[in-house]
């Protein structure tokens, strides 16, 4: 056997050499699984991942065909509004090899918007089931019962944008949730988002949206994490055609659409979900102790099964081709990587990543999913939501990685929360801020963010609310000076600026946080009286010119404009100028831009010296501008020349002498 070439993942990081066997074994196993799935290369992985074209309900030239995989079933019947929900031999599916069941029906047997389910029978029991491969599920407004629905409009939506490619220079992501995007206390819709929210996003300067909770989920309050029907776009937001129109419109406006995809677990429901689809608890999931994810109250897929890989890989391809999503944020990757789901693990050194407690089948699935996605769409974007720091996640498969394009920089929001909770303003250290915002593997791109939806879910608060709290209710008028509000607004801008300008891949913001949306996120549930009060976005706050929220929204827009003005900003080298902890001053350069932060809450500095490249500098962005709610303490119309001054004996440097007001940040352009 020919020896495997040394993988680039290892050559780029010599500290991985002791774990070469584990890394090469993982890589070889993924190749072996691919060969098994594709018949040794007789078909492509993309051809293999086409199960949605075979399974599920399809209209044919002769009528209809429905197919499902249920190996434990002894009989399967189709029931619905078309036959009074009765078990009938006319609608009995026929068994085929490998646990497949099929029924063909004449054209007039089913009609657009008919409701249907499967009556599944097995030795010792039976039950109603929503087909695993169905593409639309609706809930009865009165009974709360979920049913599959025939979706076959006379004129299905036809996409108009056929050559769209995401802009990743840099990738600026607006994380959003369709249902909570409305200002009213109810569930928002795809159409409302398309017409009212999407234009805001474009105007703000984001070039991608990351939509949460698209896959159908029975409990709205799960934020879409407890998926029941993996091929169905949630009907609580509208129709499949309306979602397609949203994606198409986003592409027309230059915005990529990334979908939050949940393949790390599934809801436990049996009628609505896959819990005991064919009567067995282990059809799609692990048997025994590994079946349940006890912390998440959900079920864990068995990625070692050929049929499960077929289901999940087909699911990836389906969303790419049917709805033209531009990629995925894979949720819960840490839970997939480790047999412990990452619970109780320390992840302090490389031994923790290669200690034999990893799930090799899940790792192979993630690797093949990335390979498939980029085979189907070479311009697709994949992002790993992963907290352990597993090396190689965002390294190309051919180089020995898992194939993700980006990984979430989950340490950064944790750092900001920890700092706000545990440190006085006088204790904020620029060296800590620099280390946390730039702490990443050199060979992997990350998506940096100050806060996502996670930081504001019930039990926590947005950063702005943590800083200002109840004073937001009374002192956000523009003519109402208030020390706590002034502090919160100043730090909100500085936190975002340092987070966004130290990226090496992309930047993410959750819907509304760009203008300091108050309070927290809490979906309707029994514990809050099924209230929508905290499951919406109050756009009127930023639209009201008499409120200070507009200052934050305007700053966010200006900040993104600055990032987009520099081609491939994320790839420019970061050069630290200083981290003066005693003064709380941080400065660094990126291309022709100089970033200077004074986190000191009390001290302003006059003539503060920074060693920089020679020339003249002008202000490109200043957090203290009055239009951003600042005090306008500097003259930003002038240019600033460097001065040739001795650094110490036998050496001189060019110095920039600046006035740095307390708790402000300024971006200078080198002319």
């Amino acid at each position: 056997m020919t020896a495997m070439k040394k993988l680039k993942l290892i050559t780029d990081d010599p500290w991985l050499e002791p774990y070469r066997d584990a890394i090469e074994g993982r890589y070889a196993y993924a190749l072996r699984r691919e060969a098994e799935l594709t018949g040794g290369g007789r078909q492509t992985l993309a051809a293999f991942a086409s199960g949605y074209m075979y399974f599920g309900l399809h209209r044919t030239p002769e009528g209809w065909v429905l197919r499902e995989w249920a190996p434990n079933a002894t009989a399967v019947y189709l029931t619905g509004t078309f036959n009074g929900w009765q078990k009938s031999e006319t609608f009995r599916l026929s068994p085929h090899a490998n646990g497949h069941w099929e029924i063909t029906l004449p054209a007039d047997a089913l009609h657009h918007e008919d409701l249907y389910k499967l009556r599944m029978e097995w030795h010792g029991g039976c039950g109603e089931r929503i087909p695993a491969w169905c593409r639309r599920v609706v809930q009865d407004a009165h009974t709360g019962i979920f049913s599959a629905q025939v979706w076959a409009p006379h004129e299905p939506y036809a996409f108009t944008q056929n050559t769209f490619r995401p802009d990743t220079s840099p990738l600026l992501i607006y994380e959003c949730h369709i249902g909570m995007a409305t200002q009213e206390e109810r569930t928002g819709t795809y159409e409302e988002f398309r017409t009212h929210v999407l234009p805001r996003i474009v105007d703000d300067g984001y070039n991608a949206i990351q939509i949460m909770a698209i896959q159908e989920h029975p409990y709205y309050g799960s934020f879409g994490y407890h998926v029941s029907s993996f091929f169905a776009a949630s009907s609580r937001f509208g129709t499949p055609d309306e979602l397609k129109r949203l994606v198409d419109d986003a592409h027309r406006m230059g915005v990529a659409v990334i979908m939050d995809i949940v393949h790390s677990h599934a809801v436990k429901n049996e009628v609505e979900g896959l819990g005991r689809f064919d009567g067995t608890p282990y059809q799609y999931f692990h048997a025994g102790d590994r079946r349940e994810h006890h912390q998440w109250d959900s079920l864990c897929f068995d990625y070692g099964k050929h049929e499960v890989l077929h289901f999940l890989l087909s699911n990836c391809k389906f969303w790419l081709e049917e709805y033209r999503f531009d990629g995925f944020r894979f949720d819960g990757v840490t839970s997939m990587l480790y047999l412990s789901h990452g619970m109780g693990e320390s992840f302090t050194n490389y031994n923790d990543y290669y200690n034999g407690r990893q799930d090799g089948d899940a790792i192979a699935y993630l690797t093949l999913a990335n390979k498939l996605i980029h085979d189907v769409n070479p311009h697709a974007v994949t992002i790993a939501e992963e907290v352990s720091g597993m090396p190689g996640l965002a390294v190309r498969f051919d180089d020995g990685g898992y194939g993700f394009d980006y990984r979430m920089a989950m340490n950064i929001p944790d750092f900001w929360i920890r700092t706000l909770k545990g440190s006085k303003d006088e204790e904020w250290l620029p060296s800590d801020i620099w280390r946390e915002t730039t702490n990443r593997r050199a060979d992997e791109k990350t998506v940096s963010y100050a806060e996502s939806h996670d930081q504001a879910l019930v039990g926590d608060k947005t950063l702005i609310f943590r800083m200002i709290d109840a004073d937001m209710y009374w002192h956000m008028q523009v003519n109402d000076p208030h020390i706590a509000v002034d502090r919160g607004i100043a730090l909100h801008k500085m936190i975002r600026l340092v987070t966004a300008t130290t990226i090496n891949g992309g930047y993410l913001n959750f819907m509304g946080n760009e203008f300091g949306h108050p309070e927290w996120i809490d979906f309707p549930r029994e514990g809050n009286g099924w209230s929508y009060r905290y499951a919406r976005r109050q756009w009127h706050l930023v639209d009201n010119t008499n409120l200070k929220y507009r200052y934050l929204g305007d700053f966010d827009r200006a900040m993104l404009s600055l990032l987009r003005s520099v081609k491939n900003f994320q790839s420019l080298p970061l050069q630290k100028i200083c981290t003066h902890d005693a003064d709380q001053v941080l400065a660094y350069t990126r291309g022709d831009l100089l970033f200077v932060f004074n986190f000191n809450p009390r001290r302003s500095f006059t003539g503060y010296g920074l060693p920089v490249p020679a020339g003249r500098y002008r202000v490109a962005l200043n957090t203290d501008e009055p239009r951003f709610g600042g005090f306008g303490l500097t003259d930003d119309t002038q240019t600033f020349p460097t001065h040739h001054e001795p650094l110490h004996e036998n050496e001189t440097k060019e110095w920039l002498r600046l006035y740095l007001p307390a708790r402000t940040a300024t971006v200078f352009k080198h002319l």
Side-chain angles (χ1 to χ4, degrees):
M1 179 182 290
T2 305
M4 178 182 290
K5 69 175 182 178
K6 194 168 185 180
L7 297 170
K8 191 172 184 295
L9 173 65
I10 301 173
T11 59
D12 285 351
D13 183 357
W15 292 98
L16 288 174
E17 181 62 39
Y19 310 99
R20 180 176 177 178
D21 288 347
I23 294 170
E24 289 182 346
R26 163 178 61 75
Y27 178 79
Y29 185 58
L31 289 174
R32 190 160 65 250
R33 290 307 310 269
E34 181 182 16
E36 293 170 359
L37 299 177
T38 61
R42 287 194 297 272
Q43 64 176 336
T44 65
L45 190 61
F48 166 79
S50 299
Y52 62 93
M53 298 180 183
Y54 176 81
F55 289 112
L57 178 66
H58 300 274
R59 184 184 291 188
T60 69
E62 295 76 28
W64 303 88
V65 61
L66 184 146
R67 303 184 186 95
E68 280 292 331
W69 174 59
N72 186 57
T74 56
V76 183
Y77 297 86
L78 179 64
T79 68
T81 51
F82 45 84
N83 67 358
W85 298 100
Q86 298 301 306
K87 171 181 173 180
S88 166
E89 289 300 314
T90 303
F91 291 93
R92 180 169 181 159
L93 279 68
S94 301
H96 293 269
N98 303 314
H100 295 183
W101 295 81
E102 177 181 307
I103 186 172
T104 58
L105 297 167
D108 61 356
L110 301 176
H111 301 89
H112 178 54
E113 297 188 331
D114 278 349
L115 303 181
Y116 67 98
K117 289 181 184 176
L118 297 178
R119 175 185 167 86
M120 197 78 62
E121 297 184 356
W122 56 86
H123 291 294
C126 65
E128 285 189 334
R129 298 290 185 263
I130 291 178
W133 294 79
C134 73
R135 301 190 184 187
R136 180 156 172 84
V137 175
V138 295
Q139 184 179 23
D140 187 278
H142 302 290
T143 65
I145 294 174
F146 289 87
S147 301
Q149 185 180 53
V150 177
W151 190 257
H154 181 67
E155 294 185 9
Y157 186 80
F159 286 94
T160 62
Q161 307 299 308
N162 300 307
T163 59
F164 178 81
R165 291 175 59 173
D167 178 7
T168 58
S169 60
L171 185 67
L172 304 171
I173 305 172
Y174 197 82
E175 185 184 47
C176 51
H177 183 284
I178 301 296
M180 64 179 293
T182 178
Q183 185 163 285
E184 299 177 25
E185 294 189 25
R186 58 174 175 81
T187 303
T189 68
Y190 297 125
E191 276 293 283
E192 290 170 335
F193 187 94
R194 181 182 69 85
T195 57
H196 301 315
V197 182
L198 193 56
R200 287 181 180 270
I201 296 168
V202 173
D203 184 56
D204 286 345
Y206 293 90
N207 56 22
I209 56 175
Q210 178 178 292
I211 310 182
M212 316 299 291
I214 287 294
Q215 294 170 292
E216 192 60 84
H217 46 290
Y219 178 43
Y220 189 42
S222 76
F223 207 78
Y225 289 141
H226 279 186
V227 175
S228 52
S229 296
F230 287 78
F231 291 86
S234 182
S235 62
R236 56 173 54 89
F237 311 133
T239 70
D241 288 10
E242 288 167 345
L243 175 56
K244 291 175 183 179
R245 185 177 294 109
L246 190 165
V247 174
D248 205 19
D249 239 25
H251 289 168
R252 180 181 58 80
M253 301 167 83
V255 175
V257 187
I258 300 167
M259 173 181 160
D260 185 71
I261 198 166
V262 183
H263 283 178
S264 47
H265 60 136
V267 73
K268 294 167 72 173
N269 298 37
E270 297 179 5
V271 175
E272 299 89 0
L274 305 176
R276 294 178 184 268
F277 186 72
D278 69 351
T280 60
Y282 48 78
Q283 181 185 355
Y284 286 94
F285 309 106
H286 284 290
D289 293 340
R290 293 190 63 193
R291 181 174 186 262
E292 292 193 25
H293 193 307
H294 297 289
Q295 291 86 353
W296 291 353
D297 192 32
S298 56
L299 302 179
C300 301
F301 286 108
D302 184 348
Y303 305 100
K305 287 186 177 180
H306 176 107
E307 294 85 358
V308 172
L309 291 188
H310 187 227
F311 182 80
L312 296 176
L313 290 172
S314 296
N315 193 235
C316 293
K317 184 182 175 186
F318 168 80
W319 292 108
L320 290 172
E321 298 214 321
E322 182 70 17
Y323 285 89
R324 303 206 181 172
F325 281 97
D326 299 295
F328 305 99
R329 171 212 187 245
F330 276 76
D331 178 73
V333 170
T334 304
S335 177
M336 299 172 71
L337 296 178
Y338 305 97
L339 297 175
S340 66
H341 303 302
M343 303 294 178
E345 304 276 0
S346 58
F347 304 116
T348 56
N349 58 67
Y350 278 0
N351 287 326
D352 295 329
Y353 303 123
Y354 306 104
N355 56 15
R357 296 198 293 270
Q358 290 69 43
D359 188 337
D361 288 319
I363 288 171
Y365 165 68
L366 288 169
T367 306
L368 294 179
N370 276 292
K371 189 175 188 301
L372 165 75
I373 291 163
H374 293 104
D375 284 349
V376 173
N377 180 0
H379 307 296
V381 173
T382 59
I383 305 168
E385 190 241 6
E386 205 282 318
V387 71
S388 78
M390 169 68 81
L393 270 185
V395 172
R396 287 175 1 110
F397 171 65
D398 290 343
D399 294 334
Y402 293 64
F404 286 99
D405 297 299
Y406 303 87
R407 62 191 308 159
M408 301 292 289
M410 300 183 72
N411 62 298
I412 297 177
D414 288 347
F415 167 74
W416 289 123
I417 290 290
R418 190 168 63 249
T419 299
L420 286 169
K421 281 184 174 181
S423 300
K424 298 177 182 178
D425 290 6
E426 295 85 355
E427 298 170 343
W428 288 31
L429 300 180
S431 58
D432 289 344
I433 294 169
W434 176 260
R435 181 176 59 253
E436 289 294 343
T437 54
T438 62
N439 180 21
R440 58 221 175 195
R441 298 179 61 82
D443 57 348
E444 300 191 46
K445 292 186 293 185
T446 59
V447 173
S448 298
Y449 58 108
E451 55 183 337
S452 68
H453 69 277
D454 281 328
Q455 281 67 45
L457 283 173
V458 64
D460 215 327
K461 303 176 182 179
T462 59
L463 292 183
I464 194 74
F465 203 60
R466 187 172 296 283
M467 291 186 283
I468 303 178
D469 213 87
D471 287 326
M472 293 190 78
Y473 298 129
W474 314 108
H475 300 288
M476 287 297 282
Q477 292 79 16
V478 296
N479 59 354
D480 182 6
H482 190 276
I483 188 169
V485 173
D486 292 343
R487 169 187 178 264
I489 288 177
L491 289 177
H492 192 272
K493 291 178 288 186
M494 295 179 74
I495 287 170
R496 274 161 170 69
L497 184 63
V498 70
T499 301
T501 57
T502 51
I503 60 173
N504 75 331
Y507 173 73
L508 176 142
N509 164 70
F510 179 68
M511 177 175 65
N513 287 351
E514 73 279 5
F515 64 82
H517 200 286
E519 300 168 330
W520 50 86
I521 298 171
D522 187 10
F523 280 81
R525 57 187 173 88
E526 188 174 5
N528 66 12
W530 303 103
S531 170
Y532 284 82
R533 179 178 177 183
Y534 299 110
R536 60 192 178 108
R537 295 288 90 175
Q538 300 181 62
W539 304 110
H540 72 279
L541 296 176
V542 69
D543 293 341
N544 188 338
T545 57
N546 293 318
L547 297 178
K548 297 177 182 178
Y549 296 98
R550 69 179 175 93
Y551 293 146
L552 299 179
D554 289 345
F555 176 78
D556 192 74
R557 187 180 302 110
M559 180 182 74
L560 296 189
S561 177
L562 178 72
L563 267 61
R564 295 187 70 167
S565 70
V566 181
K567 184 70 173 176
N568 290 316
F569 174 89
Q570 79 287 352
S571 299
L572 295 176
L574 269 168
Q575 180 64 49
K576 182 175 70 174
I577 300 298
C578 74
T579 51
H580 291 164
D581 286 348
D583 296 334
Q584 295 183 273
V585 172
L586 166 66
Y588 52 91
T589 60
R590 193 155 212 178
D592 292 333
L593 297 177
L594 167 67
F595 301 87
V596 185
F597 295 78
N598 179 11
F599 285 97
N600 201 303
R602 294 188 176 89
R603 293 182 60 198
S604 298
F605 300 98
T606 302
Y608 202 91
L610 297 171
V612 296
R616 300 183 71 84
Y617 291 77
R618 66 169 174 81
V619 174
L621 184 65
N622 186 350
T623 64
D624 195 45
E625 291 183 54
R627 65 185 176 123
F628 303 140
F631 296 99
L633 298 176
T634 58
D635 180 3
D636 294 344
T637 63
Q638 63 177 309
T639 59
F640 302 84
T642 56
H643 303 278
H644 198 62
E645 302 176 15
L647 183 63
H648 53 70
E649 188 178 1
N650 301 324
E651 185 177 354
T652 59
K653 266 190 177 293
E654 292 291 325
W655 291 81
L656 196 60
R657 297 289 179 179
L658 300 171
Y659 173 52
L660 306 180
R663 208 179 267 146
T664 65
T666 309
V667 184
F668 297 89
K669 170 107 173 138
H670 187 202
L671 302 177

